Amino acid sequence: MENIEQSSPLRITPTVRALSSALRGKRENVPDSSREHGDRIFPEPEKLWFKESSAKNLRNRDFLSPTTMLNTLYADGQVPPAVMSRVLSLRGSGILPVAGGEVMGEGLRVRVDRAAAFKAVLAGGATEYLKPSSQRQGCVVLNCPAMHPKPNTPTPDTLTLGQLRTVLLADHMGALLRRQGFAVSYCPTLPEDSDIIAFLRALGIDWPTTPANWTNEEREEKIQEALENSVEEEKEGALRVNLKRVFQEEGLLGYDPSLGTCTVHRDSVSHLAQLDLATADWTVAMATTLHVTSCQDEFRQQQIAVLWRASGATHTQRHLVCGPVKTPGSHLTAAQYLQLRRGQMKEASEMKYGDQVEGQTWDDIIRVMTSATVRFELLSTVHTSPVTLDVQREGGVSTKGPRGGVFVMYNCARLHTLFDSYERGVEKGLYPEIPEGSQLDFSALKEEGEWLLLFNYLITFSELLDQSGQALDCEGGGARVNIKTEQICKFLVSLSKDFSSYYNRVHVLGEPLPHLFNQMFCRLYLLRALRELYHSALDTLNLPPIRQL
């Protein structure tokens, strides 16, 4: 194993860029014979290489430059020796070290120096792989129209499943954006003694509150006055604002051309005053307001957004729109849905664990597992697509099989159980304490599942965290913003499948024999990093890990 010093964490994107640069070189180095039919069209660097992810392909390659790409660069796809040498000698800060490569029928295959990569990631602790690759600056207000009074404060019994989806999505987005360095606030504030706050807390959502007797009348009067200055006409005492004229004059893209003239109602003024309050301490240049709304409420929220502009607000506004939630054969409110899933979770736990399912500890476990079930059911689908739920009461929430939140939480608990077993072994004198990573030979990690867990999950997670902030930065495209909000849930389910397969196949805590300790400790380093990865990913869903099941 080559001993390489890494001044920054290993990343996939810089590695692909470096491989592309090594393969492309300078255009003048391309043989003239390759241009006999005119100048070649050179592919974009990010399209030259593909990171492999399947266990089958990872047996013989980690990155591939397909034959079709090679043919665009070199005559007959023949990679010149000097270029091949450049690829094989690739090294650098943050770049995965290359161990070898060859041109085969499918293209140029590159293999990573896996032992060196294991050491670079695990030996000093994987902390840098559990956070975004860079910290951002800015302020984001996550506005959830479902939470605004119309005219009364919503309750769990009036909240629809589609609206619950938007609340969970706003909560998840807030956690992701905070991790990237953004200052985040939520809108609207809700009365601290309201039923909806208790309901949200049961799901692990910490929504901002105000005292029960609090009012926002001063801001409402200010908004009302500002809108009166934008009045097109006043009919029977009602203010009417020409929204189409506003978004055309302001150059706002992506708004529905049929917005037309809007009558300003009291609940609209209250909504705008809450937005004004949420952005009061932030400069316009730094703040973005993200309206997280259902597709049924999108038109109404566009009206509110343009009204806010008409009142003088100049903050950037984007709309994150959620598809509907369907429950064939049933109609459930958010409260009924949560009650159903909690009951099913308790029943499934009692069937598996029997009479021990009682007391505060199990109440907490069932609450977290119910929250995990609900979050994964509503957040694992692309946010613009519909979600279809099975809410038949004779069904159940399985504690086995790769079925979302329960499966993820169960596998996280297995990691905690493993380390509890190891600690008991240390106390009994069976195993020594885990040594420093620098003392271990990570070439002992040869099982294909070990590389898959490192290469597909530990190394990639940081770049996954970057994506939500990058999507907000995208200019153009109109009022809507599309963010891959489903990726953390899918990442965790995929991680759990691959970890479960590995854990069922490999006996981590082996016989207490000295010649086996190096491999055992290397595996414990890997699984300790995976445990922290679970914690980090679950934290973006505001789900605490379950430490025993």
Side-chain angles (χ1 to χ4, degrees):
M1 178 182 72
E2 182 179 348
N3 183 22
I4 58 170
E5 294 294 332
Q6 288 293 329
S7 59
S8 61
L10 300 177
R11 305 280 189 229
I12 299 300
T13 298
T15 301
V16 169
R17 287 175 181 161
L19 284 169
S20 298
S21 179
L23 190 62
R24 286 164 61 97
K26 296 181 180 179
R27 285 195 56 174
E28 56 264 32
N29 291 338
V30 179
D32 290 339
S33 59
S34 69
R35 306 184 188 182
E36 58 189 15
H37 298 295
D39 287 342
R40 286 181 177 274
I41 300 175
F42 285 77
E44 294 299 317
E46 62 271 16
K47 296 180 180 179
L48 281 175
W49 291 90
F50 296 91
K51 174 195 172 294
E52 296 291 3
S53 59
S54 71
K56 177 183 177 182
N57 288 338
L58 287 173
R59 288 171 191 150
N60 54 49
R61 63 182 185 252
D62 298 309
F63 295 95
L64 176 71
S65 183
T67 298
T68 52
M69 293 292 108
L70 299 180
N71 286 336
T72 66
L73 290 174
Y74 304 107
D76 302 321
Q78 298 298 311
V79 181
V83 173
M84 181 64 81
S85 176
R86 232 175 15 237
V87 170
L88 297 181
S89 62
L90 199 63
R91 292 290 185 274
S93 178
I95 298 172
L96 285 151
V98 173
E102 56 190 345
V103 177
M104 302 294 286
E106 66 271 29
L108 175 53
R109 312 192 305 197
V110 163
R111 296 182 303 279
V112 169
D113 184 340
R114 296 182 176 184
F118 275 120
K119 183 175 182 179
V121 175
L122 301 175
T127 304
E128 291 299 316
Y129 294 87
L130 306 178
K131 58 187 181 182
S133 60
S134 61
Q135 287 292 291
R136 314 290 291 276
Q137 290 185 334
C139 311
V140 179
V141 173
L142 288 159
N143 179 44
C144 210
M147 294 289 97
H148 284 270
K150 303 182 185 66
N152 299 317
T153 300
T155 70
D157 293 316
T158 61
L159 195 68
T160 68
L161 292 181
Q163 291 172 330
L164 175 61
R165 186 184 185 188
T166 67
V167 176
L168 291 171
L169 191 57
D171 186 58
H172 179 42
M173 280 298 302
L176 282 171
L177 292 169
R178 281 195 178 111
R179 289 284 288 277
Q180 293 175 66
F182 289 95
V184 175
S185 66
Y186 296 90
C187 183
T189 56
L190 295 170
E192 60 187 2
D193 60 349
S194 59
D195 290 341
I196 192 68
I197 286 296
F199 174 80
L200 295 179
R201 285 173 179 163
L203 285 167
I205 299 174
D206 184 20
W207 200 267
T209 61
T210 56
N213 60 354
W214 176 85
T215 67
N216 202 20
E217 291 180 356
E218 185 175 337
R219 290 184 185 277
E220 290 176 8
E221 291 173 2
K222 186 185 77 171
I223 294 291
Q224 181 81 14
E225 183 179 343
L227 288 175
E228 287 172 355
N229 294 329
S230 303
V231 169
E232 173 160 303
E233 60 180 292
E234 187 169 337
K235 186 175 182 180
E236 297 179 356
L239 296 178
R240 293 171 60 82
V241 177
N242 188 328
L243 301 181
K244 186 172 184 178
R245 187 189 68 192
V246 173
F247 72 72
Q248 286 178 340
E249 290 178 352
E250 297 285 343
L252 304 178
L253 301 176
Y255 282 84
D256 193 319
S258 65
L259 284 177
T261 300
C262 171
T263 300
V264 180
H265 297 288
R266 180 70 181 176
D267 60 336
S268 300
V269 175
S270 173
H271 192 143
L272 298 181
Q274 285 273 7
L275 287 169
D276 188 62
L277 175 65
T279 56
D281 297 329
W282 295 350
T283 64
V284 169
M286 294 183 65
T288 296
T289 298
L290 187 62
H291 304 288
V292 187
T293 186
S294 64
C295 57
Q296 296 94 332
D297 294 334
E298 181 183 12
F299 184 83
R300 174 59 179 158
Q301 193 53 40
Q302 285 201 7
Q303 289 182 316
I304 292 291
V306 180
L307 273 177
W308 196 27
R309 192 79 171 198
S311 74
T314 56
H315 300 86
T316 299
Q317 298 185 69
R318 308 298 296 273
H319 298 252
L320 188 68
V321 180
C322 294
V325 177
K326 302 177 181 179
T327 55
S330 300
H331 175 75
L332 296 181
T333 65
Q336 292 169 331
Y337 168 58
L338 183 62
Q339 183 179 13
L340 172 66
R341 289 294 184 251
R342 186 187 293 115
Q344 291 173 329
M345 191 68 244
K346 190 173 191 297
E347 181 181 347
S349 299
E350 289 172 341
M351 288 180 65
K352 184 171 183 178
Y353 299 103
D355 294 339
Q356 64 177 295
V357 182
E358 59 181 16
Q360 187 61 50
T361 297
W362 269 102
D363 288 347
D364 292 340
I365 289 174
I366 290 170
R367 176 181 53 79
V368 173
M369 296 291 272
T370 302
S371 179
T373 298
V374 168
R375 286 175 184 269
F376 275 79
E377 284 187 334
L378 294 179
L379 297 179
S380 295
T381 303
V382 175
H383 68 81
T384 54
S385 299
V387 170
T388 301
L389 298 177
D390 178 5
V391 293
Q392 300 305 312
R393 282 164 177 77
E394 63 269 17
V397 179
S398 174
T399 59
K400 296 182 179 180
R403 294 190 59 189
V406 173
F407 181 64
V408 168
M409 302 303 282
Y410 170 69
N411 278 284
C412 182
R414 293 172 86 182
L415 281 166
H416 284 278
T417 300
L418 168 70
F419 280 92
D420 287 344
S421 298
Y422 166 71
E423 291 298 336
R424 287 195 297 270
V426 172
E427 291 171 3
K428 294 176 181 178
L430 296 176
Y431 306 123
E433 295 283 354
I434 299 180
E436 294 292 326
S438 59
Q439 300 176 31
L440 298 176
D441 178 6
F442 284 94
S443 64
L445 296 177
K446 299 182 182 297
E447 221 279 345
E448 67 178 34
E450 291 157 354
W451 177 245
L452 187 146
L453 290 169
L454 187 95
F455 192 55
N456 282 353
Y457 302 104
L458 274 167
I459 291 178
T460 64
F461 182 64
S462 182
E463 293 180 60
L464 180 64
L465 289 177
D466 291 335
Q467 293 182 2
S468 53
Q470 291 169 350
L472 286 182
D473 288 342
C474 293
E475 297 295 334
R480 274 196 179 197
V481 59
N482 290 320
I483 300 175
K484 296 178 179 179
T485 55
E486 76 285 356
Q487 287 200 336
I488 292 290
C489 288
K490 288 186 173 181
F491 175 90
L492 279 165
V493 170
S494 181
L495 166 63
S496 298
K497 290 178 181 178
D498 287 333
F499 165 67
S500 182
S501 175
Y502 170 76
Y503 193 72
N504 291 337
R505 191 171 64 250
V506 174
H507 191 51
V508 177
L509 298 180
E511 294 294 320
L513 301 174
H515 70 282
L516 299 177
F517 286 159
N518 179 75
Q519 184 182 62
M520 181 185 75
F521 288 140
C522 288
R523 286 173 171 169
L524 288 174
Y525 261 81
L526 173 63
L527 297 182
R528 185 168 62 185
L530 281 186
R531 183 183 63 182
E532 298 308 312
L533 175 61
Y534 266 105
H535 293 181
S536 185
L538 288 171
D539 187 56
T540 70
L541 294 162
N542 284 325
L543 288 171
I546 298 294
R547 299 180 184 275
Q548 63 178 44
L549 274 179

Coordinates of all heavy atoms in Angstrom, one line a residue, residues 53-99:
S53 N -20.7 2.0 -9.5 CA -21.4 1.8 -8.2 C -21.9 0.4 -7.9 O -22.0 0.1 -6.8 CB -22.6 2.8 -8.1 OG -23.5 2.6 -9.1
S54 N -22.1 -0.4 -9.0 CA -22.7 -1.7 -8.7 C -21.6 -2.6 -8.3 O -20.4 -2.5 -8.7 CB -23.3 -2.3 -10.0 OG -22.3 -2.6 -11.0
A55 N -21.9 -3.6 -7.4 CA -21.0 -4.6 -6.9 C -20.3 -5.3 -8.0 O -19.1 -5.6 -8.0 CB -21.6 -5.5 -5.9
K56 N -21.1 -5.7 -9.1 CA -20.5 -6.4 -10.2 C -19.4 -5.7 -10.9 O -18.3 -6.2 -11.2 CB -21.7 -6.7 -11.2 CG -21.2 -7.5 -12.4 CD -22.4 -7.7 -13.4 CE -21.9 -8.3 -14.7 NZ -23.0 -8.5 -15.7
N57 N -19.6 -4.4 -11.2 CA -18.6 -3.6 -12.0 C -17.4 -3.3 -11.1 O -16.3 -3.1 -11.6 CB -19.3 -2.4 -12.6 CG -20.2 -2.7 -13.7 OD1 -20.0 -3.7 -14.4 ND2 -21.1 -1.8 -14.0
L58 N -17.7 -3.0 -9.8 CA -16.6 -2.7 -8.9 C -15.6 -3.8 -8.7 O -14.5 -3.6 -8.1 CB -17.2 -2.2 -7.5 CG -17.8 -0.8 -7.5 CD1 -18.5 -0.5 -6.2 CD2 -16.8 0.3 -7.9
R59 N -15.9 -5.0 -9.1 CA -15.0 -6.1 -9.0 C -13.8 -5.9 -9.9 O -12.7 -6.4 -9.6 CB -15.7 -7.4 -9.4 CG -16.6 -7.9 -8.3 CD -17.4 -9.1 -8.7 NE -18.6 -9.3 -7.8 CZ -19.7 -9.9 -8.2 NH1 -19.9 -10.2 -9.4 NH2 -20.6 -10.1 -7.3
N60 N -13.9 -5.1 -11.0 CA -12.8 -5.0 -11.9 C -12.5 -3.5 -12.3 O -11.5 -3.3 -13.0 CB -13.0 -5.8 -13.2 CG -14.3 -5.5 -13.9 OD1 -14.7 -4.4 -14.1 ND2 -15.1 -6.6 -14.2
R61 N -13.3 -2.6 -11.8 CA -13.0 -1.2 -12.1 C -13.8 -0.3 -11.2 O -14.8 -0.6 -10.6 CB -13.4 -0.8 -13.6 CG -14.9 -1.0 -13.9 CD -15.2 -0.7 -15.3 NE -16.6 -0.7 -15.6 CZ -17.2 -1.6 -16.3 NH1 -16.6 -2.7 -16.8 NH2 -18.5 -1.5 -16.6
D62 N -13.2 0.9 -11.0 CA -13.9 2.0 -10.2 C -14.4 3.1 -11.0 O -15.4 3.8 -10.7 CB -12.9 2.4 -9.1 CG -12.5 1.3 -8.2 OD1 -13.4 0.6 -7.7 OD2 -11.3 1.1 -8.0
F63 N -13.6 3.5 -12.1 CA -14.0 4.5 -13.0 C -13.9 4.0 -14.4 O -13.0 3.1 -14.7 CB -13.2 5.8 -12.9 CG -13.3 6.5 -11.5 CD1 -12.4 6.2 -10.5 CD2 -14.3 7.4 -11.3 CE1 -12.5 6.8 -9.3 CE2 -14.5 8.0 -10.1 CZ -13.6 7.8 -9.1
L64 N -14.8 4.4 -15.3 CA -14.7 3.9 -16.7 C -14.9 5.1 -17.7 O -15.8 6.0 -17.5 CB -15.9 2.9 -17.0 CG -16.0 2.5 -18.4 CD1 -14.8 1.5 -18.8 CD2 -17.4 1.8 -18.6
S65 N -14.0 5.2 -18.7 CA -14.2 6.1 -19.8 C -14.6 5.2 -21.0 O -13.8 4.4 -21.5 CB -12.9 6.8 -20.1 OG -13.1 7.8 -21.2
P66 N -15.9 5.3 -21.3 CA -16.4 4.4 -22.3 C -15.7 4.5 -23.7 O -15.2 5.6 -24.0 CB -17.9 4.8 -22.4 CG -18.2 5.5 -21.2 CD -16.9 6.2 -20.8
T67 N -15.8 3.4 -24.5 CA -15.2 3.4 -25.8 C -15.7 4.6 -26.7 O -15.0 5.2 -27.4 CB -15.5 2.1 -26.5 OG1 -14.9 1.0 -25.7 CG2 -14.9 2.0 -27.9
T68 N -17.0 4.9 -26.5 CA -17.6 6.0 -27.3 C -16.9 7.3 -27.0 O -16.7 8.1 -27.9 CB -19.1 6.1 -27.0 OG1 -19.3 6.3 -25.6 CG2 -19.9 4.9 -27.6
M69 N -16.5 7.5 -25.8 CA -15.8 8.7 -25.4 C -14.4 8.7 -26.0 O -13.9 9.7 -26.5 CB -15.7 8.9 -23.9 CG -17.1 9.1 -23.2 SD -17.8 10.8 -23.6 CE -19.1 10.3 -24.7
L70 N -13.7 7.6 -25.9 CA -12.3 7.4 -26.4 C -12.3 7.7 -27.9 O -11.4 8.3 -28.4 CB -11.8 6.1 -26.1 CG -11.7 5.7 -24.6 CD1 -11.1 4.3 -24.4 CD2 -10.8 6.7 -23.8
N71 N -13.3 7.2 -28.6 CA -13.4 7.4 -30.0 C -13.5 8.9 -30.4 O -13.1 9.3 -31.5 CB -14.5 6.6 -30.6 CG -14.2 5.1 -30.7 OD1 -13.1 4.7 -30.7 ND2 -15.3 4.3 -30.7
T72 N -14.1 9.7 -29.5 CA -14.2 11.1 -29.9 C -12.9 11.9 -29.6 O -12.7 13.0 -30.2 CB -15.3 11.8 -29.0 OG1 -14.9 11.8 -27.6 CG2 -16.6 11.1 -29.1
L73 N -12.0 11.3 -28.9 CA -10.7 11.9 -28.6 C -9.5 11.4 -29.4 O -8.7 12.2 -29.8 CB -10.4 11.7 -27.1 CG -11.2 12.4 -26.0 CD1 -10.8 12.0 -24.6 CD2 -11.0 13.9 -26.2
Y74 N -9.5 10.1 -29.7 CA -8.4 9.5 -30.3 C -8.8 8.6 -31.5 O -9.9 8.0 -31.5 CB -7.6 8.7 -29.3 CG -7.2 9.5 -28.1 CD1 -7.8 9.3 -26.9 CD2 -6.2 10.5 -28.2 CE1 -7.4 10.0 -25.8 CE2 -5.8 11.2 -27.1 CZ -6.4 11.0 -25.9 OH -6.0 11.8 -24.8
A75 N -8.0 8.6 -32.5 CA -8.2 7.8 -33.7 C -8.4 6.3 -33.3 O -7.6 5.8 -32.6 CB -7.1 7.9 -34.7
D76 N -9.5 5.7 -33.7 CA -9.8 4.3 -33.4 C -9.9 4.0 -31.9 O -9.8 2.9 -31.5 CB -8.8 3.4 -34.1 CG -8.8 3.6 -35.6 OD1 -9.9 3.8 -36.2 OD2 -7.7 3.5 -36.2
G77 N -10.0 5.1 -31.1 CA -10.1 4.9 -29.7 C -8.8 4.4 -29.0 O -8.9 4.0 -27.9
Q78 N -7.7 4.6 -29.7 CA -6.4 4.1 -29.1 C -5.8 5.2 -28.2 O -5.5 6.3 -28.7 CB -5.4 3.8 -30.3 CG -5.9 2.7 -31.2 CD -6.0 1.4 -30.4 OE1 -5.1 1.0 -29.7 NE2 -7.2 0.7 -30.6
V79 N -5.7 4.9 -27.0 CA -5.2 5.9 -26.0 C -3.6 5.9 -26.1 O -3.0 4.9 -25.9 CB -5.6 5.5 -24.6 CG1 -5.0 6.6 -23.6 CG2 -7.1 5.4 -24.5
P80 N -3.0 7.0 -26.5 CA -1.5 7.1 -26.6 C -0.9 6.7 -25.3 O -1.4 7.0 -24.2 CB -1.3 8.6 -26.9 CG -2.6 9.1 -27.5 CD -3.7 8.3 -26.8
P81 N 0.3 6.1 -25.3 CA 1.0 5.7 -24.1 C 1.3 6.9 -23.2 O 1.2 6.7 -21.9 CB 2.3 5.1 -24.7 CG 2.0 4.7 -26.1 CD 1.0 5.6 -26.6
A82 N 1.6 8.1 -23.7 CA 1.8 9.2 -22.8 C 0.6 9.6 -22.0 O 0.6 10.0 -20.9 CB 2.3 10.4 -23.6
V83 N -0.6 9.5 -22.7 CA -1.9 9.8 -22.0 C -2.2 8.7 -20.9 O -2.6 9.0 -19.8 CB -3.0 9.9 -23.0 CG1 -4.4 10.0 -22.3 CG2 -2.8 11.0 -24.0
M84 N -1.9 7.5 -21.3 CA -2.2 6.4 -20.3 C -1.3 6.6 -19.1 O -1.7 6.4 -18.0 CB -1.9 5.0 -21.0 CG -2.1 3.9 -20.0 SD -3.9 3.7 -19.5 CE -4.5 2.9 -20.9
S85 N 0.0 7.0 -19.3 CA 0.9 7.2 -18.2 C 0.4 8.3 -17.3 O 0.5 8.3 -16.1 CB 2.3 7.5 -18.8 OG 3.2 7.9 -17.8
R86 N -0.2 9.4 -18.0 CA -0.7 10.5 -17.2 C -1.9 10.0 -16.3 O -2.0 10.4 -15.2 CB -1.2 11.6 -18.2 CG -0.6 12.9 -17.9 CD -0.9 14.0 -18.8 NE -2.0 13.8 -19.8 CZ -1.8 13.9 -21.1 NH1 -0.6 14.2 -21.6 NH2 -2.8 13.8 -21.9
V87 N -2.7 9.2 -16.9 CA -3.9 8.7 -16.1 C -3.4 7.8 -14.9 O -3.9 8.0 -13.8 CB -4.8 7.9 -17.0 CG1 -5.9 7.2 -16.2 CG2 -5.5 8.8 -18.0
L88 N -2.4 6.9 -15.2 CA -2.0 6.0 -14.2 C -1.2 6.6 -13.1 O -1.1 6.1 -11.9 CB -1.2 4.8 -14.8 CG -2.0 4.0 -15.8 CD1 -1.1 2.9 -16.3 CD2 -3.3 3.4 -15.2
S89 N -0.6 7.8 -13.4 CA 0.2 8.4 -12.4 C -0.5 9.5 -11.6 O 0.1 10.4 -10.9 CB 1.5 9.0 -13.0 OG 1.1 10.0 -14.0
L90 N -1.9 9.5 -11.8 CA -2.7 10.6 -11.2 C -2.6 10.7 -9.7 O -2.8 9.6 -9.0 CB -4.1 10.4 -11.6 CG -5.1 11.6 -11.5 CD1 -4.6 12.7 -12.5 CD2 -6.5 11.2 -11.9
R91 N -2.2 11.8 -9.2 CA -2.2 12.0 -7.7 C -2.5 13.5 -7.5 O -2.5 14.3 -8.4 CB -0.8 11.8 -7.2 CG -0.3 10.3 -7.2 CD -1.1 9.4 -6.2 NE -0.6 8.1 -6.2 CZ -1.0 7.1 -7.0 NH1 -1.9 7.4 -7.9 NH2 -0.5 5.9 -6.8
G92 N -2.9 13.8 -6.3 CA -3.2 15.2 -5.9 C -4.1 15.3 -4.7 O -4.8 14.3 -4.3
S93 N -4.2 16.5 -4.2 CA -5.1 16.7 -3.0 C -6.5 16.4 -3.4 O -7.1 17.0 -4.3 CB -4.9 18.1 -2.6 OG -5.7 18.4 -1.5
G94 N -7.2 15.6 -2.6 CA -8.6 15.3 -2.8 C -8.9 14.3 -3.9 O -10.0 13.9 -4.1
I95 N -7.8 13.8 -4.5 CA -8.0 12.9 -5.7 C -7.7 11.5 -5.2 O -6.7 11.2 -4.6 CB -7.1 13.3 -6.9 CG1 -7.4 14.7 -7.3 CG2 -7.2 12.3 -8.0 CD1 -6.4 15.2 -8.3
L96 N -8.6 10.6 -5.6 CA -8.5 9.2 -5.2 C -7.2 8.6 -6.0 O -7.1 8.8 -7.2 CB -9.7 8.4 -5.6 CG -10.9 8.5 -4.7 CD1 -12.2 8.4 -5.5 CD2 -10.8 7.6 -3.6
P97 N -6.3 7.9 -5.3 CA -5.1 7.4 -5.9 C -5.4 6.3 -6.8 O -6.2 5.4 -6.5 CB -4.3 7.0 -4.7 CG -5.3 6.6 -3.6 CD -6.4 7.6 -3.8
V98 N -4.8 6.3 -8.0 CA -5.0 5.3 -9.0 C -4.0 4.2 -8.9 O -2.8 4.4 -8.7 CB -4.8 5.9 -10.4 CG1 -4.9 4.8 -11.5 CG2 -6.0 6.9 -10.7
A99 N -4.5 3.0 -8.9 CA -3.6 1.8 -8.8 C -3.2 1.2 -10.1 O -2.2 0.6 -10.3 CB -4.2 0.8 -7.8

